[in-house]
């Protein structure tokens, strides 16, 4: 663990403030869920919770199937990083952090499409939890079929989270 030199006290309700600098670096926003662990040496460990990572097996099967059907690269991310990718470009994306553009699309809860990619946010119980991105094979134009595949995948994964 990396020491930050920041010390905070617990208030009478058992709360502690996570400093703004740390929240900014870790991209933790107001309302984000955190998992709490304890370490063997008495540490309290906070980890940003990714509900969609629980669905990584479903996500992996989805991206593989969709990529084989469409021929392009299909990516599933949570709000921090890519959790599943399949297709020619998967090595460029797998386990990478998402960029500011994708984060903005996810938070907007609105789908995004142009000739080079389709992004459909995954929204469960009104909260954006990730996205599905489809990239074309050989720079071909993306169309209605790819958009529908992304929308079906996003809806399916959102329903799995709600169950």
């Amino acid at each position: 663990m990396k020491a930050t030199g920041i010390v905070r006290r617990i208030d009478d309700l058992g709360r502690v403030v996570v400093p703004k600098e740390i929240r900014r670096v870790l991209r933790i926003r107001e309302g984000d869920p955190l998992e709490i662990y304890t370490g063997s040496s008495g540490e309290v460990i906070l980890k940003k919770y990714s509900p969609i990572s629980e669905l990584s097996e479903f996500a992996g099967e989805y991206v593989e199937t969709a990529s084989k059907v469409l021929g392009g690269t299909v990516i599933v991310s949570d709000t921090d990083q890519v959790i599943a990718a399949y297709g020619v470009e998967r090595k460029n994306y797998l386990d990478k952090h998402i960029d500011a553009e994708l984060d903005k699309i996810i938070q907007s809860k609105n789908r995004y499409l142009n000739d080079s990619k389709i992004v459909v946010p995954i929204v469960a119980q009104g909260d954006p939890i990730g996205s599905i991105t489809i990239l074309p094979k050989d720079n071909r134009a993306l169309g209605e079929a790819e958009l529908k595949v992304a929308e079906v995948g996003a809806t399916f994964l959102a329903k799995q989270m709600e169950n």
Side-chain angles (χ1 to χ4, degrees):
M1 269 187 278
K2 183 179 173 185
T4 63
I6 301 170
V7 176
R8 301 289 177 161
R9 295 197 183 276
I10 296 177
D11 71 9
D12 58 340
L13 295 176
R15 297 176 297 196
V16 64
V17 174
V18 177
K20 185 176 186 176
E21 301 82 10
I22 292 174
R23 293 192 318 261
R24 186 180 309 120
V25 168
L26 298 178
R27 298 173 60 183
I28 297 172
R29 296 183 186 95
E30 181 181 333
D32 282 351
L34 299 175
E35 285 186 278
I36 303 171
Y37 299 92
T38 56
S40 58
S41 303
E43 307 96 345
V44 176
I45 303 161
L46 300 175
K47 180 181 176 191
K48 190 170 179 184
Y49 176 67
S50 170
I52 201 164
S53 67
E54 294 177 10
L55 300 177
S56 61
E57 188 174 328
F58 282 126
E61 291 171 0
Y62 164 77
V63 296
E64 181 179 354
T65 303
S67 177
K68 286 180 178 177
V69 169
L70 299 173
T73 300
V74 181
I75 302 162
V76 174
S77 75
D78 62 15
T79 57
D80 286 319
Q81 69 180 24
V82 173
I83 62 166
Y86 199 88
V88 176
E89 296 184 54
R90 78 172 172 242
K91 291 178 184 175
N92 297 335
Y93 295 98
L94 199 55
D95 296 325
K96 302 280 180 79
H97 285 280
I98 67 169
D99 60 19
E101 177 189 10
L102 181 55
D103 183 52
K104 187 175 179 180
I105 294 167
I106 292 170
Q107 295 308 317
S108 77
K109 302 181 199 175
N110 295 316
R111 65 187 191 185
Y112 172 86
L113 53 142
N114 64 23
D115 289 340
S116 64
K117 69 180 169 185
I118 291 173
V119 180
V120 176
I122 302 168
V123 181
Q125 298 175 337
D127 295 324
I129 61 169
S131 69
I132 293 181
T133 302
I134 298 182
L135 305 173
K137 180 180 180 183
D138 302 325
N139 295 321
R140 294 183 195 164
L142 295 167
E144 194 66 26
E146 290 85 359
L147 177 60
K148 291 296 181 195
V149 167
E151 288 174 338
V152 166
T155 303
F156 175 77
L157 291 173
K159 291 278 186 206
Q160 294 301 308
M161 282 306 308
E162 293 171 359
N163 292 336

